[in-house]
Amino acid sequence: MRLPLLSLLLATTLLPAQAPAKSDRPAAAKASAKSTPKAAAKTTPEAEAARQTLKQTLDAVDAAWFGESYQGISSVEMQGTLGIALSGAAVNQKVDSLSQGAVKGNSQGGQANLRVKGTYFANGDFKTDLAGDFGNLLYTRRGNRGFLYSKEQNAYTTRVDLPPADAPKTYMSWFRQTLNDIKAVYIDAPTFKASLAPEETLNGHAVQRLVFNAPTQGWDPKKREQSMASSLGFWKRGKLEVMVDKTTKQPIRLDFRNDEQGVQTRMDFTYGAKGHLLSVNISNSSRGFEGPGWLRVGYGGDGRMSNVAGELKSQDKTVSFAMDLAWSKTRTTTDIAAIPPAGATKRGREDMETQLMVGLASKIFDLQRAGLNLRSVAIGTK
């Protein structure tokens, strides 16, 4: 799965192996090819300058954040945690609101925790162990074969998504393809109207502000669920403003909003002497999660990321994660060989996924009742 890097890196660390259907990329490429003549006809010099500057920025990110340090690196082992915590005050306020003051809550709060341990190859092979309040799962794939096992159901399915046809062999190429996905949406496709804002100074840096706008519908407070594609694809529409350092071409500040998804956030980036990303400070105004956040990245002596951690916090809610990373050039797919436990029942994929989604929806509904503004994933095949 190649999620866009600027979609908060958090999703990248937790979902790298759950690739979208292989039809996603060809469809996007086909749409881009069809739209190119139309986009070219409407391109203005200002829009072209904005797109070219963004391209330079993504190339600078590729070189400084990733680049040569990941040449030949074929796999990464990740181990860590994800947590969601709600204070008792948040739960009690929700109870009071729903009952219009007729019932007074006496909750101590609510939380959900997930432990993640997995090995992921750049070519799409993986093995992931997930354990915690959302259940205990083992999900693995090598080549075109694999399985998803649920401990709670003591059941598994062997129908898994196939790896992408254009899967890279190393993580240097994997990161580059991730950035190419962003280029395809913001630079190559006609979806966003691009423009340049006047040059300015930010924190002592001479910066150029780039603006990309693709208006969305407004927020619907009654909408309680949506497709996974809509959840993960929120960055493909909205308004993006990027302040770019005119010397290094690296992003200094990013503002993004998608009114339909209730997303509005600002990110400020800091860098080390070698141009490595060190931290992202977040000012979040997203629906139900107004408050600060942060992302911190640590590096080993080899110049590669060794750990990544982050947190989003509002008055009564906290979402946090922490991952340790171990990169390798020599690990092979035999290291992730696995079979379903003896005695487990084999099921069809749709039946298995429906049961898992029912459990997930139930847990999310519990969190929603406790005060977390989170839309459930729609149950169904579409």
Side-chain angles (χ1 to χ4, degrees):
M1 177 181 216
R2 286 190 292 277
L3 297 179
L5 179 68
L6 299 181
S7 300
L8 278 179
L9 291 176
L10 185 154
T12 308
T13 61
L14 296 181
L15 301 171
Q18 300 177 24
K22 64 178 182 178
S23 61
D24 286 2
R25 177 170 294 276
K30 184 177 180 180
S32 177
K34 286 184 176 181
S35 62
T36 299
K38 182 179 179 181
K42 292 186 177 181
T43 295
T44 65
E46 179 187 5
E48 182 61 22
R51 290 191 172 95
Q52 287 304 310
T53 302
L54 180 61
K55 181 179 183 301
Q56 292 173 359
T57 295
L58 294 175
D59 289 342
V61 166
D62 181 28
W65 297 20
F66 314 116
E68 298 297 326
S69 296
Y70 298 89
Q71 187 172 17
I73 298 295
S74 58
S75 68
V76 60
E77 185 177 83
M78 296 194 293
Q79 186 168 344
T81 59
L82 168 68
I84 300 175
L86 306 172
S87 73
V91 178
N92 296 334
Q93 182 180 18
K94 189 72 171 181
V95 170
D96 183 72
S97 173
L98 292 175
S99 66
Q100 296 182 339
V103 178
K104 297 299 181 183
N106 188 30
S107 173
Q108 299 301 308
Q111 64 180 13
N113 296 290
L114 180 67
R115 298 182 302 279
V116 181
K117 183 178 180 180
T119 301
Y120 309 98
F121 287 81
N123 69 357
D125 293 334
F126 66 89
K127 179 183 177 183
T128 303
D129 286 286
L130 304 174
D133 295 325
F134 285 106
N136 297 268
L137 301 174
L138 171 60
Y139 188 25
T140 185
R141 183 186 67 214
R142 291 198 299 163
N144 294 333
R145 304 183 66 180
F147 66 90
L148 171 63
Y149 167 76
S150 167
K151 181 178 179 180
E152 284 69 29
Q153 298 182 41
N154 193 29
Y156 69 96
T157 179
T158 57
R159 284 185 55 196
V160 297
D161 290 329
L162 299 179
D166 59 347
K169 294 182 179 180
T170 71
Y171 270 97
M172 185 174 75
S173 298
W174 190 93
F175 287 124
R176 190 161 295 164
Q177 288 191 354
T178 300
L179 295 173
N180 285 341
D181 287 347
I182 300 176
K183 292 179 181 178
V185 172
Y186 285 90
I187 298 174
D188 299 334
T191 308
F192 285 84
K193 179 181 178 181
S195 60
L196 293 172
E199 296 181 9
E200 52 194 290
T201 300
L202 177 66
N203 300 329
H205 298 269
V207 298
Q208 174 69 68
R209 184 153 55 99
L210 315 176
V211 181
F212 296 83
N213 193 23
T216 69
Q217 296 181 2
W219 168 260
D220 181 1
K222 297 181 180 179
K223 187 176 182 181
R224 301 296 290 171
E225 66 177 30
Q226 62 188 10
S227 69
M228 182 66 77
S230 295
S231 296
L232 297 180
F234 70 89
W235 59 280
K236 295 181 179 180
R237 294 197 70 89
K239 185 176 183 180
L240 172 69
E241 297 188 34
V242 186
M243 289 189 175
V244 178
D245 188 304
K246 295 200 68 178
T247 301
T248 66
K249 300 302 182 183
Q250 295 230 60
I252 300 299
R253 173 176 290 175
L254 179 151
D255 286 276
F256 178 82
R257 67 181 299 160
N258 179 319
D259 292 334
E260 184 175 4
Q261 296 291 336
V263 176
Q264 182 177 351
T265 190
R266 166 173 289 180
M267 301 181 184
D268 288 285
F269 303 86
T270 62
Y271 300 95
K274 296 182 179 180
H276 288 158
L277 176 69
L278 295 183
S279 67
V280 182
N281 291 319
I282 303 169
S283 177
N284 200 22
S285 299
S286 298
R287 294 274 184 170
F289 234 108
E290 297 84 355
W294 53 266
L295 179 76
R296 302 289 184 267
V297 184
Y299 296 84
D302 52 17
R304 293 189 286 268
M305 291 178 284
S306 60
N307 57 80
V308 58
E311 180 180 270
L312 287 176
K313 192 176 185 68
S314 63
Q315 182 177 358
D316 298 308
K317 315 176 189 74
T318 301
V319 174
S320 60
F321 75 97
M323 292 286 166
D324 291 324
L325 312 175
W327 307 88
S328 174
K329 295 182 180 180
T330 59
R331 190 180 288 117
T332 67
T333 56
T334 58
D335 296 328
I336 61 172
I339 59 174
T345 301
K346 185 176 181 179
R347 290 182 178 171
R349 174 167 172 166
E350 289 78 10
D351 179 37
M352 184 83 172
E353 288 186 345
T354 298
Q355 293 301 314
L356 291 174
M357 295 302 286
V358 167
L360 175 61
S362 175
K363 189 62 181 181
I364 290 179
F365 182 63
D366 288 342
L367 293 173
Q368 287 173 338
R369 288 188 300 178
L372 183 65
N373 188 5
L374 179 67
R375 285 174 173 170
S376 300
V377 176
I379 299 175
T381 58
K382 294 183 179 179

